[in-house]
Amino acid sequence: MKKILFVCLGNICRSPMAEFVMRDMVEKAGAGGGFLIASAATSAEETGNPVHHGTRKKLAEHGISTSGKYAVQLKRDDYGKYDLIIGMDDYNIRSMLRLFGGDPSGKVKKLLDFAGGGNIADPWYTGNFDETYDDVVRGCSALLDSLT
Ligand code: 4NP
């Protein structure tokens, strides 16, 4: 069982998008049973809140529901619970390394590092969930390729 945790600042826009896109991809690849996929926030800002309507709307266009997902904050002991802990941007990576006190097992990655580098566009600031979705699909697709 491969355990993957996606991480962003608020856990309402980018990391839940990555969580549900990745779940959909592994299901469609017939590999759903081999994965545990979740997402969390580096901040407590949005804890308990549902997925942002922009992410929900974009995923609904692709037949993906985020029903039942509410923002949770990343905890120090999550480091031991997952095989891969994947941030959306450089700021998330710095926050995680601070919380975990480093990355002794080499689990902390940035999503677009699987697809040539860069940060996932942050729709909280741009309002552009299309661009974020394209980035997330590119990253998750490359991530899945790296695992299968
Ligand atoms: P996310 O987007 O990190 O992709 O969930 C944001 C959500 C909330 C805030 C910033 C980004 N905020 O400043 O509260």
Side-chain angles (χ1 to χ4, degrees):
M1 170 77 73
K2 200 82 183 169
K3 296 175 189 165
I4 302 173
L5 184 66
F6 292 104
V7 174
C8 64
L9 181 66
N11 194 214
I12 56 168
C13 300
R14 294 164 295 171
S15 63
M17 189 183 277
E19 172 186 347
F20 286 93
V21 162
M22 189 69 185
R23 284 188 186 190
D24 187 61
M25 279 183 186
V26 300
E27 286 297 332
K28 284 178 174 152
F35 287 85
L36 186 153
I37 302 169
S39 64
T42 57
S43 84
E45 206 69 42
E46 302 287 348
T47 298
N49 287 340
V51 175
H52 192 288
H53 61 85
T55 288
R56 288 211 308 268
K57 180 167 172 288
K58 190 68 209 169
L59 293 183
E61 288 172 17
H62 297 273
I64 299 173
S65 165
T66 64
S67 156
K69 170 64 188 174
Y70 298 92
V72 294
Q73 190 175 13
L74 183 69
K75 297 190 293 293
R76 192 179 164 89
D77 69 358
D78 285 325
Y79 191 79
K81 295 183 180 170
Y82 292 90
D83 303 306
L84 278 173
I85 305 174
I86 302 180
M88 300 295 119
D89 63 26
D90 294 317
Y91 186 66
N92 305 151
I93 302 295
R94 285 198 294 277
S95 303
M96 286 197 275
L97 294 179
R98 208 161 44 234
L99 176 68
F100 297 143
D103 180 22
S105 307
K107 299 176 175 186
V108 175
K109 313 278 184 198
K110 200 168 65 167
L111 184 54
L112 284 180
D113 282 349
F114 293 93
N119 293 316
I120 300 287
D122 188 348
W124 179 261
Y125 299 104
T126 64
N128 185 343
F129 287 80
D130 298 338
E131 189 187 6
T132 303
Y133 179 78
D134 293 345
D135 280 353
V136 163
V137 166
R138 203 155 49 82
C140 287
S141 171
L143 169 62
L144 184 57
D145 283 349
S146 81
L147 296 172
T148 52

